Amino acid sequence: MTNSWVNWAGDQRCAPARLAAPRDHAELAAELARATAEGYRVRVVGSGHSFNDTCLTDGLLLDLSRLNRVLEVDRDTGLARVQAGITLAALNPQLDEYGLAFPNLGDIDSQTLAGATATGTHGTGGRLPNLSAQLHAIEVMTADGRTVELSEQSGSEAWRAARVGIGALGVITACTLRLVPAFVLEGVERPVPVEEVLSDLDSHIDSNDHFEFYMFAHSPMAMTKRNNRVELPPAPRHHIVDWFADIAVSNHASDALCRVARRRPTLIPPLQRAAAYAFSYRRQVDRSYRVFTTPRLLRFTEMEYAIPREYSADAIREIKETAQRFDSPMPIEVRWVAGDDAFLSPAGGRQTCYIAVHQYQGMAHEPFFRACEAVFDRYSGRPHWGKRHYQTADTLRERYPEWDRFTAVRRHYDPDGRFANAYLDRVLGPVSAGQHQVDQPG
Ligand SMILES: Cc1cc2nc3c(=O)[nH]c(=O)nc-3n(C[C@H](O)[C@H](O)[C@H](O)COP(=O)(O)OP(=O)(O)OC[C@H]3O[C@@H](n4cnc5c(N)ncnc54)[C@H](O)[C@@H]3O)c2cc1C
């Protein structure tokens, strides 16, 4: 029987020689030793929520979903040690029981912790960096079965490389997170004309803890979302209201509109204008992780770029204009994050605006995404490591000032390229192709 694996979007698949779901370090080390003996390359998969070929392999595919426990929590320091294969959906309520939370989260909670941090997954908030910046320590198993603990205190080269490592250094088995006291968010959604938002962008970003908006190519309206911390008790919505808001409207109704648009692309402009009018005022007050994330049921593919924050308004206008030339019924999403110091973080060293474009399943995405990428290129864009892009190591190297330092750590931790695949060969280059040697990257 042939093994097969497919990602969440259903458009990236592979037939690994072996699939394994180790239960502990010993089983994981044995799998790695066997892969080395058989000459297989190795990839780790989290929840398969990346849109590109980052997880694909014809060698050994490791599924860490059985390494999914919370190991230790210290309420006083806010440090929590957890196994790397746990999903954010499983982790958030457990942290809440200890009175702790992530300061920021993305749109969904289906990702594994290691999968989310490995690609620089982010939420929105001009003062808040991406999820990998919440890491305090990481335990990595290299191809020879050794485990290495890298920590914030060490500040080492490997620490700065491993936080956003795209699975290139080894298997992340556990992480220690630095969390904040649990908090309640008030989420307010409101339609505002795009040009009104863009004319006063900094104050929208800076006067809210978390500001973002969605817009359609063919509508002048933006659906703004502001999430702010409040000293109110959580007021969870009745599950019927939740179902109506998150499932019926956000998923089933949108899916139905996208299906119509896929059959009749000429209807996209009027459908988008109508859908934008359906945007309405919505308010939610609840535990932070319940406000940040919502279920996503309709299937699509996505490109997202990180550009310097100062270019936000110009780039947003250009992407909106570009999107008008292509048939996509789906919205454009815009968010902001603070910079951080991971070598390959798309937000590394700069205040960042993230712009994401989407295409509904079964509709052509490549010409649309390539046209958008040409815009992002002009604004020094760095692609989200878990989403579609067409860059190579040659085009990316100059966009990351610490590129060679990452390459040196990678060569030290994975000298034989055991954890490489076609994606990493393309976007990072082969392990042996590094330019500069550092003495002790560990
Ligand atoms: C509906 C949807 C909504 C999304 N929303 C957001 C969002 O709001 N913000 C955002 O930034 N992104 C978002 N994403 C993208 C998503 O967060 C990233 O692609 C993330 O990496 C997926 O996590 P995963 O657990 O599925 O990892 P996978 O996609 O399975 O893997 C991602 C990478 O991590 C590596 N990896 C996984 N586990 C390990 C491990 N234990 N050790 C070493 N390497 C490992 C894999 O090899 C791969 O390179 C979204 C994706 C979807 C489908």
Side-chain angles (χ1 to χ4, degrees), residues 259-415:
R259 278 171 196 274
V260 172
R262 187 173 59 190
R263 257 199 322 273
R264 298 269 307 275
T266 50
L267 291 178
I268 290 174
L271 279 176
Q272 287 193 339
R273 283 191 285 271
Y277 278 109
F279 285 167
S280 58
Y281 177 90
R282 263 169 54 167
R283 179 173 174 269
Q284 187 184 5
V285 175
D286 208 342
R287 290 179 172 79
S288 57
Y289 63 94
R290 291 180 47 87
V291 175
F292 283 131
T293 66
T294 47
R296 292 290 154 89
L297 304 181
L298 78 165
R299 301 292 148 136
F300 57 88
T301 190
E302 181 173 340
M303 163 179 277
E304 185 175 42
Y305 265 77
I307 60 161
R309 175 174 158 172
E310 59 268 29
Y311 303 145
S312 302
D314 289 344
I316 292 164
R317 286 192 185 99
E318 267 196 67
I319 288 296
K320 191 169 190 296
E321 275 166 32
T322 305
Q324 287 164 7
R325 295 194 272 118
F326 297 90
D327 292 333
S328 171
M330 297 201 62
I332 298 160
E333 185 180 14
V334 189
R335 295 179 276 186
W336 287 268
V337 302
D340 66 275
D341 75 347
F343 289 155
L344 289 192
S345 169
R350 64 194 199 189
Q351 294 281 318
T352 291
C353 169
Y354 270 99
I355 305 178
V357 291
H358 307 82
Q359 181 56 290
Y360 187 57
Q361 59 180 337
M363 295 181 75
H365 62 267
E366 187 164 341
F368 173 35
F369 286 2
R370 281 191 183 275
C372 292
E373 186 163 86
V375 175
F376 294 130
D377 283 347
R378 284 204 299 284
Y379 290 102
S380 313
R382 296 172 181 159
H384 189 305
W385 292 114
K387 302 192 180 180
R388 283 185 185 270
H389 64 91
Y390 305 98
Q391 308 291 346
T392 64
D394 284 342
T395 59
L396 290 170
R397 183 176 289 114
E398 65 192 20
R399 304 183 199 195
Y400 283 91
E402 320 285 13
W403 184 269
D404 290 340
R405 292 168 77 180
F406 181 90
T407 303
V409 173
R410 183 183 181 208
R411 203 165 46 236
H412 181 81
Y413 275 80
D414 186 27

Side-chain angles (χ1 to χ4, degrees), residues 234-253:
R237 298 184 299 204
H238 190 281
H239 67 274
I240 299 286
V241 177
D242 254 359
W243 179 85
F244 189 77
D246 293 341
I247 307 295
V249 175
S250 301
N251 282 288
H252 294 322

Side-chain angles (χ1 to χ4, degrees), residues 35-96:
T36 302
E38 291 168 341
Y40 289 149
R41 299 213 285 185
V42 180
R43 287 302 284 167
V44 188
V45 63
S47 302
H49 274 58
S50 291
F51 293 97
N52 59 31
D53 48 342
T54 185
C55 292
L56 306 191
T57 185
D58 56 5
L60 169 63
L61 189 62
L62 286 169
D63 165 359
L64 286 210
S65 58
R66 287 165 152 174
L67 296 184
N68 62 357
R69 282 182 302 121
V70 174
L71 300 172
E72 207 181 328
V73 181
D74 183 335
R75 288 171 202 257
D76 297 332
T77 58
L79 296 179
R81 178 93 171 159
V82 301
Q83 290 185 308
I86 193 167
T87 61
L88 299 176
L91 179 56
N92 288 325
Q94 293 189 63
L95 295 177
D96 190 56

